[in-house]
Amino acid sequence: MAFDPDAAGLPGSGIFGLPFTRGQAGIVLVPVPFEATTSYGQGAAQGPGAILRASMQVDLYDRRFGRVYERGIFMEEPDGRIVELCEAARDAAAPILLRGGADSGDHAAVARVDAAGDELNGIVHAKVAQILAEGKAPGLVGGDHSTPFGAIRACAEAAGEGGLGILHIDAHMDFRRAYEGFRWSHASIMHNVLTRVPGVSRIVQVGIRDFGEGELALAAEQGPRVVTFYDDQWAEEMAGGTGFLGLARRAVEALPDRVYISFDIDALDPSLCPHTGTPVPGGLPFNQAVLLLDALRQSGKRVVGFDLVEVSPGPEGDEWDGNVGARVLYKLCGAAGPQR
């Protein structure tokens, strides 16, 4: 049967109901169902599955990004070792998280969680490096926000002269050092990138509205390597008459030519992601997030990879978070390359 992009997704088809094999795909998605250190709400490990299920209802023609599906999008099967690491690390971290962080008696448990993060990073790095070697665009589907470290490192290693820029779309700065005692905490992803991935030449943050004073100090220490656009700052400028498109283009202009997008779903208005682990009032409406991604696409800068993290399905089969996540994922695929 010939593929009909306007038909319903067929049983057994791939992400978004597409028929592509990995060899045919220009975009390869890596599901990483891992969360160990989420200390408020949980469920991000179920995000890749929820997004996959909801993706079957996404219409494939996008008025802004065009026929995204024509690039070929393929989602790998979850790696069983990642599932094992998640279970072991979560069991070790849970009592510590309940107490609000590690103390001197938790050395062994913290070491187990950190070792799981080390192994996870190695698995993800190898997968993404292989995708890049095949000339394809990698997209990571998390999982909590610790999961894309290996992907970012692989993309930075491949970026070459000028380095890699990260468009970090999030409610949080994620500059905490070993938050609650865990080296690979979800709240430490951008701290780890800054201190461990020298190939990242700049992080441009959008949607930021929840952070600690220490995070502000770290950003200031980094100088031009970190550019942060605060949620209330943009709200104030728009209230004064500045259009959102101008703000989006300002953020994009701050990026180098090669860009990795790290999209934490809690960057959005929490009505769009009510079950994410750390929801924060404010945030981007869906259409503003889309306009930001489109401004990046139109800039001529090259998106070499991306991630979508912290999507958590609701209890009792609530599909709203997965529904929104699937649509954000399709837009990210649209931003990752030119469309016909």
Side-chain angles (χ1 to χ4, degrees), residues 51 139-143 147 260-265 306-311 324-330 332:
I51 290 170
L140 181 145
V141 185
T147 57
Y260 179 99
I261 305 170
S262 189
F263 197 123
D264 187 326
I265 201 72
F306 60 86
D307 65 66
L308 174 62
V309 296
E310 304 283 358
V311 175
V324 174
R327 283 161 172 77
V328 172
L329 181 62
Y330 199 63
L332 286 167

Side-chain angles (χ1 to χ4, degrees), residues 9-337:
L10 297 175
S13 56
I15 185 85
F16 303 114
L18 297 174
F20 301 106
T21 65
R22 182 193 172 104
Q24 295 167 328
I27 299 171
V28 177
L29 304 176
V30 180
V32 185
F34 180 95
E35 59 173 333
T37 62
T38 47
S39 50
Y40 188 61
Q42 300 175 20
Q46 302 172 47
I51 290 170
L52 175 61
R53 291 189 297 273
S55 75
M56 302 302 168
Q57 298 300 317
V58 175
D59 283 319
L60 297 179
Y61 181 76
D62 188 284
R63 194 187 73 82
R64 192 166 296 276
F65 294 99
R67 300 182 183 92
V68 179
Y69 65 90
E70 287 188 342
R71 288 200 67 196
I73 306 171
F74 176 83
M75 188 174 192
E76 295 182 341
E77 291 292 325
D79 188 313
R81 180 55 183 161
I82 292 176
V83 175
E84 293 173 356
L85 288 170
C86 178
E87 293 174 353
R90 189 71 202 178
D91 287 347
I96 297 171
L97 296 170
L98 284 173
R99 296 198 308 272
D103 58 31
S104 58
D106 292 318
H107 176 76
V110 169
R112 287 196 295 274
V113 177
D114 287 348
D118 289 334
E119 185 174 347
L120 175 74
N121 292 340
I123 292 170
V124 171
H125 177 270
K127 288 178 179 291
V128 171
Q130 178 60 40
I131 293 167
L132 291 167
E134 295 170 10
K136 303 175 187 294
L140 181 145
V141 185
D144 72 33
H145 210 162
S146 72
T147 57
F149 179 82
I152 293 170
R153 183 164 70 90
C155 288
E157 290 168 351
E161 186 176 353
L164 181 71
I166 298 179
L167 177 58
H168 176 209
I169 307 170
D170 202 326
H172 308 87
M173 297 183 90
D174 288 344
F175 286 151
R176 297 180 185 271
R177 182 181 181 276
Y179 186 59
E180 296 187 298
F182 301 111
R183 181 193 312 147
W184 302 113
S185 169
H186 69 104
S188 302
I189 177 65
M190 293 303 159
H191 181 284
N192 288 329
V193 168
L194 283 173
T195 57
R196 300 169 188 268
V197 189
V200 170
S201 57
R202 176 165 285 180
I203 298 175
V204 175
Q205 302 182 304
V206 172
I208 305 299
R209 55 196 189 276
D210 219 26
F211 46 85
E213 195 167 357
E215 292 179 283
L216 285 175
L218 177 63
E221 290 169 6
Q222 292 291 320
R225 197 176 176 208
V226 175
V227 179
T228 303
F229 295 97
Y230 298 97
D231 189 56
D232 67 325
Q233 169 194 354
W234 276 15
E236 182 178 10
E237 292 197 42
M238 286 188 287
T242 301
F244 180 82
L245 274 178
L247 297 173
R249 289 166 181 157
R250 187 191 307 169
V252 168
E253 286 168 1
L255 290 161
D257 288 340
R258 293 176 184 266
V259 179
Y260 179 99
I261 305 170
S262 189
F263 197 123
D264 187 326
I265 201 72
D266 69 28
L268 300 179
D269 182 305
S271 65
L272 297 167
C273 52
H275 300 103
T276 192
T278 48
V280 184
L284 296 168
F286 184 82
N287 283 334
Q288 287 185 0
V290 173
L291 289 172
L292 175 62
L293 295 178
D294 195 33
L296 176 56
R297 181 184 66 90
Q298 293 189 49
S299 72
K301 298 179 180 187
R302 182 182 172 193
V303 175
V304 299
F306 60 86
D307 65 66
L308 174 62
V309 296
E310 304 283 358
V311 175
S312 300
E316 300 177 3
D318 186 336
E319 298 179 353
W320 178 239
D321 297 74
N323 183 307
V324 174
R327 283 161 172 77
V328 172
L329 181 62
Y330 199 63
K331 306 289 186 182
L332 286 167
C333 291

